[in-house]
Amino acid sequence: DYPVLATNINPDISAKAAIVIDNDSKVVLFAKNPQLLFSMASTTKIMTALVALEHYKIDDVLTIKTEGVGGVTIGFKKGQEILFKDLLTAMLLPSSNDAAVAIAENYPGGEKSFVNKMNEYAKKLKLFNTTFADPDGLLDELNHTTPFELAQLASVALKNDVFSKIVSTKHAIITDKDG
């Protein structure tokens, strides 16, 4: 059966906006202010992961270039060498900002080029109300999207086997190259 919009359901949702889509058909099943522009915070890391997965091999070794990143961090130290797979896991599971920054800083051209690629990818996906200013979502006032476009982005991400496997993991051990 083809999914249809649930017009007779009115859940008590306190959030300003919400959306539920069928992942296969992309049919919107429920929406509350789906075009409301808002700061995406750590969900920025979904796009960081997609861009990184297009560029890096899972066993690439990346070097920590910046320590003392704000917000949630693992506490990586400058000069540490970490497998891309472990940085990606750190970024997606505990939402490590220092892992997101490390992934972006190791990209050709550095963080600025990485963020440009994030915005290019958004346009490629027709996410015209989505803009990225950093790889970790700390620049709340400059990173923005809509519930509809965030749902579209998440749907694309979940089709990536590596992304899907990591976000469905409950526990992981992350080490540097030396163990």
Side-chain angles (χ1 to χ4, degrees):
D1 289 325
Y2 194 73
V4 294
L5 179 62
T7 55
N8 61 342
I9 297 174
N10 192 10
D12 184 23
I13 296 176
S14 61
K16 290 181 183 177
I19 192 163
V20 177
I21 66 169
D22 178 75
N23 198 36
D24 294 327
S25 67
K26 306 298 182 256
V27 169
V28 175
L29 302 173
F30 171 80
K32 176 182 177 183
N33 298 322
Q35 299 302 330
L36 179 71
L37 243 132
F38 71 99
S39 168
M40 64 187 106
S42 280
T43 58
T44 297
K45 294 174 181 119
I46 297 170
M47 181 62 86
T48 301
L50 287 176
V51 170
L53 284 162
E54 274 197 350
H55 177 72
Y56 298 110
K57 293 183 197 86
I58 206 74
D59 58 350
D60 280 351
V61 176
L62 282 65
T63 303
I64 304 300
K65 298 181 180 191
T66 302
E67 43 180 290
V69 175
V72 176
T73 65
I74 296 294
F76 294 120
K77 302 294 180 205
K78 189 173 182 175
Q80 265 186 302
E81 295 180 321
I82 315 286
L83 286 174
F84 167 62
K85 177 186 79 137
D86 287 339
L87 286 171
L88 190 62
T89 300
M91 180 181 74
L92 293 173
L93 288 189
S95 194
S96 165
N97 292 329
D98 51 355
V101 169
I103 288 168
E105 288 182 336
N106 279 269
Y107 189 80
E111 187 173 339
K112 184 176 180 179
S113 291
F114 189 89
V115 172
N116 286 340
K117 190 67 171 178
M118 291 169 70
N119 286 305
E120 285 175 25
Y121 202 126
K123 300 309 174 234
K124 178 179 149 188
L125 295 175
K126 297 181 175 33
L127 306 178
F128 300 120
N129 293 308
T130 299
T131 302
F132 299 97
D134 63 15
D136 52 20
L138 286 178
L139 295 174
D140 274 351
E141 67 283 354
L142 301 175
N143 292 300
H144 61 269
T145 192
T146 66
F148 179 77
E149 291 189 2
L150 182 57
Q152 298 299 315
L153 178 61
S155 179
V156 168
L158 287 170
K159 289 184 177 172
N160 181 290
D161 291 338
V162 174
F163 180 93
S164 186
K165 183 177 180 187
I166 290 173
V167 298
S168 66
T169 301
K170 293 187 190 293
H171 304 281
I173 296 173
I174 296 163
T175 64
D176 66 6
K177 191 175 147 200
D178 298 329

